[in-house]
């Protein structure tokens, strides 16, 4: 029965003349480069959260040896996270047509019988299942996260992190086995007989090069409708497939993307009113409570910085003004040698109500407790009465509605 042409287990069931070693190998070599870049930029993105600094930053607390590469995230250049995460998200979306075409090109192998002809063949089939399943899982969860659709059965961060390691391990094993064959197939440019070539192909409706052109055109379209979210500014309007925030930011100085509104975070006017709100700063010499008026009496500094988020979107550079974090550290006994800081928000629910920043981030003169943006007071949705802004840090570490700063070793 397995050789019946109406069953997918039969080679005669798959009749497309496009399938073959050359078509599959070209797609495979593109994915070899692209997925390697995706994996590296994904690891870099995780390092940017400084998960080794504090448990509040560690989104995957059981990572163990998988965190071997972690390093202290720098504050420059200011566009660093904007670049690395922009590449990660834009490239991932751009590669979707290539991935789907590659899976289509090898789908007959998923139905090959018997499932295992030997132990080595069984291991290869298992690695193939991990490769296909892992690839679909990583790309699907990544796209859903970019679209702000948090429908996962758990936190996106550990799911995507551990899934990436499983997928990439299978990917490396597959690449080690197949890359030499793929290179030979591309160089020969001939349709060598193998299990992907149909024994009774249908009449062609498009050439293999034409099919690659369609795949490339689909990838180019996705690139053009996604990359604008990482460039920010006027280019953001071209990012038709990218999320534009959960609220309309309106115009004026505060008219840039908002993902988490004050209403979502449970922030009320009573919480942020000048008569009620105080910034609590704790450190070596004790605790200081500062009203907004007292913060305005401290030396004010400005910095032109973007906001860049894990979803791949970025704003253009905004002009922030407020008190340097290192000056606030000096108020509680850390003059000239600022330590790490734990930042706590008024936010009542949701992730990243607290975030830790490294000493190098506190010491940077562009790291501010911002009170103004683009010459105007922060809007409630952008963090009024005060928010953190740190160069090159992921957006979620730029905490809004700041209530407390605790300086010291974390």
């Amino acid at each position: 029965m397995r050789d019946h042409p109406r069953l997918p287990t039969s080679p005669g069931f798959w009749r497309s003349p496009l399938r073959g070693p050359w078509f599959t190998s070209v797609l495979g070599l593109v994915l070899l480069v692209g997925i390697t870049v995706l994996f590296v930029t994904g690891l870099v993105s995780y390092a940017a959260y400084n998960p080794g600094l504090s448990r509040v930053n560690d989104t995957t607390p059981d990572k163990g040896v998988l965190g071997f590469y972690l390093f202290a995230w720098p504050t420059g250049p200011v566009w660093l996270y904007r670049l690395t995460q922009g590449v990660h998200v834009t490239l991932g979306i751009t590669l979707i047509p290539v991935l789907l075409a590659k899976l289509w090109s090898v789908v007959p192998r998923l139905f090959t019988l018997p499932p295992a002809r030997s132990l080595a063949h069984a291991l290869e089939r298992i690695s193939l299942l991990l490769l296909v399943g892992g690839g679909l899982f990583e790309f699907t969860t990544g796209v859903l996260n970019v679209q702000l659709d948090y429908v996962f059965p758990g936190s996106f961060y550990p799911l995507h992190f551990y899934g990436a390691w499983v997928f990439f391990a299978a990917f490396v094993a597959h690449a080690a086995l197949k890359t030499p064959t793929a290179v030979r197939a591309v160089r020969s440019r001939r349709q060598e007989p193998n299990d992907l070539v149909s024994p009774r192909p249908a009449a062609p409706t498009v050439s293999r090069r034409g099919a690659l052109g369609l795949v490339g055109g689909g990838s180019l379209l996705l690139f053009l409708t996604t990359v604008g979210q990482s460039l920010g500014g006027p280019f953001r309007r071209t990012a038709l497939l990218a999320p534009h925030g959960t609220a309309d930011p309106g115009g004026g100085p505060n008219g840039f993307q908002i993902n988490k509104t004050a209403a979502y975070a449970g922030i009320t006017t009573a919480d942020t009113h000048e008569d009620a709100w105080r910034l609590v700063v704790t450190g070596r010499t004790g605790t200081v409570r500062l009203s907004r008026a007292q913060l305005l009496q401290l030396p004010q500094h400005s910095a032109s910085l973007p906001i860049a988020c894990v979803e791949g979107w970025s704003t253009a550079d905004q002009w922030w003004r407020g008190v340097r974090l290192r000056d606030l550290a000096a108020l509680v006994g850390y003059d000239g040698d600022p330590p790490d800081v734990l930042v706590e928000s008024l936010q009542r629910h949701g992730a990243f109500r607290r975030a830790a920043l490294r000493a190098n981030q506190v010491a940077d003169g562009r790291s501010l407790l911002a009170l103004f943006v683009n010459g105007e007071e922060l809007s409630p949705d952008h963090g009024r009465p005060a928010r953190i802004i740190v160069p090159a840090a992921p957006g979620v570490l730029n905490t809004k509605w700041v209530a407390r700063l605790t300086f010291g070793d974390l």
Side-chain angles (χ1 to χ4, degrees):
M1 288 293 292
R2 72 183 187 188
D3 293 325
H4 196 287
R6 292 185 179 180
L7 295 177
T9 54
S10 170
F13 180 85
W14 310 99
R15 301 191 60 200
S16 173
L18 296 177
R19 288 193 179 93
W22 185 84
F23 186 72
T24 296
S25 297
V26 171
L27 297 171
L29 292 175
V30 172
L31 289 173
L32 176 64
V33 176
I35 288 176
T36 300
V37 173
L38 283 181
F39 185 69
V40 172
T41 52
L43 294 184
V44 166
S45 175
Y46 182 61
Y49 283 74
N50 284 323
L53 169 64
S54 170
R55 294 182 67 180
V56 302
N57 285 20
D58 194 353
T59 54
T60 57
D62 299 319
K63 60 185 178 298
V65 296
L66 298 182
F68 70 92
Y69 71 95
L70 294 175
F71 57 94
W73 188 250
T75 57
V78 298
W79 41 261
L80 180 60
Y81 190 73
R82 183 180 188 176
L83 172 66
T84 59
Q85 192 61 11
V87 168
H88 183 75
V89 171
T90 303
L91 179 60
I93 291 176
T94 300
L95 286 177
I96 289 174
V98 183
L99 176 69
L100 294 178
K102 177 66 162 60
L103 294 178
W104 173 86
S105 75
V106 298
V107 71
R109 287 179 175 164
L110 299 180
F111 294 89
T112 301
L113 293 178
R117 295 189 295 269
S118 65
L119 178 59
H121 184 244
L123 293 175
E124 182 181 349
R125 294 298 296 274
I126 292 172
S127 71
L128 185 62
L129 288 175
L130 291 175
L131 180 69
V132 174
L136 291 175
F137 178 82
E138 285 300 289
F139 276 80
T140 300
T141 54
V143 168
L144 288 173
N145 184 66
V146 167
Q147 296 301 324
L148 308 178
D149 290 328
Y150 303 112
V151 295
F152 320 107
S155 171
F156 165 76
Y157 299 96
L159 288 174
H160 203 67
F161 179 80
Y162 294 124
W165 280 103
V166 172
F167 168 59
F168 196 71
F171 177 77
V172 169
H174 185 76
L177 291 171
K178 300 298 184 181
T179 298
T181 303
V183 171
R184 287 196 301 270
V186 170
R187 285 178 174 175
S188 69
R189 299 187 180 183
R190 292 183 297 176
Q191 186 78 302
E192 300 288 347
N194 75 355
D195 58 339
L196 295 178
V197 178
S198 175
R200 53 188 197 95
T205 57
V206 64
S207 67
R208 291 194 299 273
R209 292 184 183 276
L212 287 178
L214 290 174
V215 174
S219 289
L220 179 61
L221 179 62
L222 290 177
F223 174 81
L224 293 176
T225 53
T226 302
V227 69
Q229 72 163 345
S230 300
L231 300 177
F235 297 102
R236 184 149 178 76
R237 290 193 293 271
T238 68
L240 302 178
L241 299 182
H244 287 252
T246 56
D248 182 0
N254 279 274
F256 53 96
Q257 179 163 349
I258 300 164
N259 272 10
K260 185 186 297 179
T261 65
Y264 168 84
I267 306 299
T268 66
T269 304
D271 296 321
T272 59
H273 192 276
E274 290 191 13
D275 292 338
W277 180 81
R278 295 293 185 271
L279 175 69
V280 179
V281 184
T282 301
R284 179 187 291 158
T285 58
T287 297
V288 176
R289 295 172 60 87
L290 300 168
S291 66
R292 181 178 173 85
Q294 291 171 317
L295 285 170
L296 290 173
Q297 292 173 0
L298 297 174
Q300 304 290 299
H301 296 268
S302 299
S304 181
L305 300 172
I307 296 176
C309 279
V310 70
E311 295 90 3
W313 65 262
S314 302
T315 70
D317 288 358
Q318 311 296 322
W319 192 254
W320 307 91
R321 187 165 179 80
V323 182
R324 295 185 301 193
L325 293 183
R326 70 188 192 193
D327 291 343
L328 292 169
L331 292 178
V332 289
Y334 297 100
D335 191 6
D337 185 25
D340 308 329
V341 63
L342 176 65
V343 184
E344 298 178 74
S345 173
L346 292 172
Q347 180 180 338
R348 287 183 167 81
H349 57 81
F352 296 100
R353 296 186 298 274
R354 302 189 300 161
L357 299 172
R358 286 191 182 276
N360 67 304
Q361 294 173 310
V362 176
D364 194 298
R366 298 163 296 183
S367 296
L368 304 175
L369 179 74
L371 306 173
F372 300 89
V373 62
N374 299 322
E376 185 175 283
E377 286 190 11
L378 295 168
S379 69
D381 287 339
H382 280 303
R384 192 170 69 193
R387 70 169 295 162
I388 297 294
I389 187 72
V390 173
V396 291
L397 299 186
N398 293 313
T399 308
K400 297 193 285 188
W401 313 293
V402 176
R404 178 183 292 271
L405 299 174
T406 303
F407 291 94
D409 294 331
L410 301 180

